[in-house]
Amino acid sequence: MKKIKLSVIFSLILLFMVTTGNAADNTQITYNVSFPEAQAHYADIEMKITGLKQDELELKMPVWTPGSYLVREFARNIEGLSASANGKSLSAKKIRKNIWQLHIAGIGTVVIKYRVYAFEISVRTSFIDASHAFLSSPDMFLYPGNMLHSASTIHIKPYKAWDKVSTSLEKVNGDVFTRYSPNYDILFDSPIEIGNQEIFNFDAYGVHYEVCMQGGGNYDKERLKKDLAKVVAEEVAIYGENPNKHYTFIIHNALKGGGGLEHLSSTTLGASRDAYTTERGYQNFLSLAAHEHFHLWNVKRLRPIALGPFDYDNENYTTNLWIAEGFTAYYQDIIVRRTQLYSPENYLGMLAEDINLLENSEGAKVQTLAESSYDAWIKAYRPNENSGNSTISYYTKGSIVALLLDLEIINDSKGQYSLDDVMRYMYNEYYKTKQRGYTDAEFKAGLEKFAGKNLDDFYAKYINGLTPVDYAYYLGLAGYKLTNELADNNDPALGITTIPNIPRLIVATVTRGSAAWKDGINVNDEIIAIDGEPALEAGKLLSGKKVGDKIKVTIARDGILMDIPVTLLKSTKVKYKVDELPNPTAQQLVVRKKWLTLK
Ligand SMILES: [Zn+2]
């Protein structure tokens, strides 16, 4: 007893020392970021640290960016690092791939200069050219080791005529080009867009929103302001509050865009410049915006315990990305349905597409949802030609699992509760009250609280197991069923895809269990002819053939022509649609009304 008490007191004293140590810490960090060669994709950074009292200083760069689960080795883009103190050069020794060490005994102020090459267009990597700079942040700013708690000030010197900055970092003295970060977790979660972007604003529930449009596009500002505000309102309604005072949408419009990355008080989205005017394009954009904005709660604040505080040097493993990403993927469409911008039929069509993705996946028979999450670092983010056969996306299956749980909870509570209540409860319990992430068992307990039943069996089947989803039961709860539109299809299939948009037919993937798989057609084979007839179009390779036919596929493999005998098998592809069950019961209608927000 005594021992325990003493150790508790000792740790309290230690905590006090560390805390007051930080508070009394006079260290100040400033970054001067300039772009003298923006056209060649470089940022020049000068980092100044004053008030140092230690003997050694380690400068580090994160190896990954939170939200994107891949070690990207950002330090590989740094060049010309030099350090100095009082105008004299200081040795900066590289001691690991992402760490430089400086001996600074007796030195209070250090200046570090380096250049960063940034030419990877994505929402999670920095990109600089003559037209703009997108600073993703973890791949741009070195930080002093053991000083992640430190505040910093960032001065931006724009290139030529750049006159705008969009970021969720606060301005200093009202200067758009000077920004303040309270600590590195916030800096690394705050991308910065600099250039001549179009900016417009709207307010929703006391939060000021800035929309930054880079790259042009055929968007309608007024329509976007109205619709984004509706999406925001529906998401705030789930959690009961918006923890931000302001929020920034950074949108990169390109010829073909997609994807997004969530942050605490902002997001970066990739959009297709000319797709805002098509129904499908606009819907994709709204769902993407709803997805990333939903993350400001789910994963940025309500989070798996492994995802914060982050280890910026290594992989951060969690089996819960199906909650962080899959649930968010489920909400991205159901939220927009709630705004009435999607009709119920519209929504059910999107749901059918998600179901088809899962049900046409061979990998879903091999990898569990928990495994898919844990191995994101080496599988989801490092796909190869066999990924479709060996992995299942935690987005795809996670969103279907969210659907099943939502329907189960609504049904069990006779329309009183839904998955929303679980999300709000978990947010209050873990983010606000306990101020930490949840464990696997804690999230399960939260689900069970509202499902009114033990979910051991559900987890064994769908999270940790490979049991096919029982759509008849779950969709049946809301009076719906699946119909396979290809049920009577007897067409044969080879089970390959070919590389798109090239004149030759080169095999890109071979589906597990298909005719091509069984008889040995390989990825990278060029299909030359079928039964002696030249192969011209991927979609017409098997014209006139039947299931069971034995055909001769002529291929070129590594420059050598060969004939491969193949016995054609029936296509296993499914194409489901969601249909109403006849004569739904009162209970089914209660579930349907709540689930689809019907009037
Ligand atoms: Zn996401």
Side-chain angles (χ1 to χ4, degrees), residues 262 291-292 295 325 395:
E262 67 276 8
H291 178 110
E292 302 305 336
H295 271 312
E325 288 299 348
Y395 289 83

Side-chain angles (χ1 to χ4, degrees), residues 32-45 61 74 77-79 114-137 139-141 156-160 162 191-196 214 252:
N32 284 302
V33 185
S34 59
F35 307 92
E37 292 191 296
Q39 84 291 344
H41 324 297
Y42 278 90
D44 285 43
I45 298 187
M61 178 160 271
F74 295 130
N77 292 320
I78 292 185
E79 52 188 80
Y114 59 98
R115 310 188 83 200
V116 183
Y117 177 71
F119 196 53
E120 187 179 342
I121 298 181
S122 85
V123 293
R124 60 238 171 168
T125 47
S126 293
F127 178 87
I128 300 165
D129 70 8
S131 65
H132 76 122
F134 171 67
L135 310 183
S136 155
S137 181
D139 62 354
M140 198 50 62
F141 298 104
I156 294 161
K157 190 175 173 213
Y159 176 73
K160 293 192 177 170
W162 296 353
I192 306 169
E193 175 69 35
I194 312 147
N196 304 108
Q214 192 280 327
H252 291 154

